[in-house]
Every structure is written in C-alpha cells, then in structure tokens.
Amino acid sequence: MKTDVRQGFKNLAEGGFKQIFSQIDQLNIKKGVDTMGLDKFINQCALLAAGSGVVTGVGGIGTMLIGTPLDIVNLITQQFRVTLAISYHNTGEYKISFEDFFKIVASSVKADTKLAISKNIMEEVAEKMLFSLGSKASRRLVPVVGGVIGGTVNYLFIKGVAKELKEKG
C-alpha cells in the first residue's frame, strides 16, 4: 500500500500539479486582488477551501471516500491561487510560468507541517469531547464534528500558506 501511495504522489507531482496550475486563470487572480485587495482575496480562497473540507467531513465515511480526492484538488487549487495572488502582489507580474511558480510553492511547505499538527490536535480534542458526551450523542455529532474539523483545517492551511509566503515576500 505504501508503494501505491508513493506512486500516487509521484503521479500528482509529475502531471497533476501542472494540470491544476494550467486550469487557473491568472488574469482573474490579478483582477481579484486588484478589486478585493490581497487579504480579502486570501480569505475568499480560505473559505472556498473550508467549504470542501466541511462537505468532505460532514457526511461520514461515504462522503469521505468520494469527497477526499475532490477536497485535496480544491485545497491544492486554493493554495496555488493564494500563491499566485501573493506573487502578483509582490512583483506586479500576474503571468508566471509553472517552473517559477513551483519554486515559490516549494518554499512554502512549512504550512503542511502545521496543518498535520493542527488537524491531529483538533481530532484528539474532538474525540475526547465526544467520548465524554456518551455514545448516543457522539454518534449524532460525529458528522458535524468531522465537518467542523475538515473546514477549519482547510481554512487554517490556506491562511498558513499565505502567512508563510507573505513573510518570505
């Protein structure tokens, strides 16, 4: 199974990231930053990421199986949009090649570590809270808590990426 996961990540790195990048309209990102300002644009991306996290987490195991790949693609897309927005804000250039873009993304991976830590902590706290409520109440709340955790983690991830990139800018 580890080999399958590694191969999946390798495939994503080789073609998936470039495909996601090529689907992003860089001119619309420029317009969004010019219209809303950088911070509001970042917040919009974070909310879009949170939305897919909520949907994936709220439905239990059924939506997790189907929704997780879509959530990951959306999360990567929002990360890329934020990265492009900050790059445009810092340089004034809105059109960037995939190779130059990926160098920026690679420098912002600290946020990934923070995401894993915050998600683990939130899941642990939620598990303890649900355990203290008893089994009947916890069964009803699991989808809600899963949605809250998924949405919160995605939101914080995008905000963390933006913070890292702004600090390096």
Side-chain angles (χ1 to χ4, degrees), residues 42-58 71 74-75 78 146-159:
I42 290 168
N43 199 55
Q44 179 191 51
C45 292
L47 289 171
L48 289 169
S52 68
V54 168
V55 170
T56 301
V58 93
D71 181 41
N74 183 46
L75 194 59
Q78 298 314 318
V148 169
I149 290 172
T152 302
V153 168
N154 283 8
Y155 182 86
L156 293 175
F157 174 73
I158 295 300
K159 289 294 215 173

Side-chain angles (χ1 to χ4, degrees), residues 82-127:
V82 164
T83 303
L84 288 165
I86 293 170
S87 175
Y88 164 66
H89 180 75
N90 291 341
T91 66
E93 297 289 322
Y94 74 90
K95 195 76 173 153
I96 184 170
S97 72
F98 177 75
E99 289 71 25
D100 291 338
F101 167 77
F102 212 75
K103 289 176 191 170
I104 299 167
V105 170
S107 73
S108 71
V109 293
K110 276 188 191 175
D112 292 339
T113 308
K114 292 176 187 170
L115 170 74
I117 292 168
S118 65
K119 185 174 182 181
N120 289 340
I121 291 170
M122 280 193 265
E123 286 174 344
E124 190 175 314
V125 168
E127 187 179 304

